[in-house]
Amino acid sequence: MTGPRSRRSRKPYAARGGIKTQTKQGSFGSTWWGKRWLTVFEASAVDTRLTRGRTYARSGQVVGMEVTKGQVTASIQGSKLKPYDVTITVKTITDDQWDEVLAGIAKRPVLAARLLAGDPPEDIEEVFTEAGTSLFTNRLRHIRNSCECTDWSNPCKHS
């Protein structure tokens, strides 16, 4: 990174060693579950923020990321010298709901085998529905975005 720049500059500082996406163009989410996760953000995107967020991801502006239960925290290099701290929190499934999900999977050996093989089948969502929950949220209100930037939009391009 170089020295301070004018506040008017909108271009992000180049990040060194950032995490880049595998896609260089086109859509994100090549798997069914990737596409499913993105639908809630796409439905709530304000003007071009999602597009700019994809540009940030493709150019390696994500300089750190940690995934924990119900939360993703990341450092995103933006137009300020210090990267923005971003937190995305999702509503988690209760222990009782997990017990029901696991019992449902146990009744369907094919589902268990595909999960163990790293190939989650699309019909896995039925098990979650039967347990009274959902694998993916379909409401933005179940996702909380927090970013240090001054953008009024939620989610912002950093989220």
Side-chain angles (χ1 to χ4, degrees):
M1 288 184 266
T2 59
R5 298 184 299 177
S6 160
R7 286 184 183 255
R8 292 183 176 189
S9 176
R10 298 258 188 229
K11 285 190 170 188
Y13 281 99
R16 291 191 184 141
I19 303 165
K20 290 184 181 181
T21 62
Q22 293 178 353
T23 63
K24 298 295 179 200
Q25 62 184 11
S27 64
F28 275 61
S30 58
T31 61
W32 72 266
W33 62 88
K35 290 176 184 174
R36 184 82 164 72
W37 170 250
L38 288 172
T39 57
V40 73
F41 284 100
E42 289 168 346
S44 66
V46 178
D47 60 57
T48 61
R49 283 173 179 80
L50 192 59
T51 301
R52 290 187 304 198
R54 286 180 172 133
T55 300
Y56 268 48
R58 285 188 173 112
S59 63
Q61 297 306 109
V62 179
V63 293
M65 183 170 60
E66 181 181 357
V67 179
T68 57
K69 182 179 180 180
Q71 185 169 287
V72 176
T73 54
S75 293
I76 311 297
Q77 183 59 60
S79 58
K80 294 201 175 180
L81 198 52
K82 180 187 174 291
Y84 296 112
D85 289 329
V86 175
T87 303
I88 300 172
T89 307
V90 296
K91 182 180 173 185
T92 58
I93 298 170
T94 67
D95 289 342
D96 289 341
Q97 289 169 326
W98 269 119
D99 289 343
E100 287 187 48
V101 167
L102 293 174
I105 291 171
K107 292 176 188 174
R108 301 177 187 181
V110 172
L111 287 180
R114 288 196 53 195
L115 287 169
L116 289 171
D119 180 29
E122 216 166 326
D123 56 348
I124 189 73
E125 289 190 274
E126 293 172 14
V127 176
F128 284 81
T129 302
E130 290 166 6
T133 189
S134 177
L135 178 57
F136 299 99
T137 184
N138 59 1
R139 296 188 176 106
L140 189 59
R141 68 180 176 172
H142 292 157
I143 300 173
R144 288 196 330 254
N145 297 291
S146 166
C147 182
E148 296 177 321
C149 76
T150 58
D151 192 343
W152 57 269
S153 178
N154 190 3
C156 67
K157 64 186 170 195
H158 310 106
S159 295

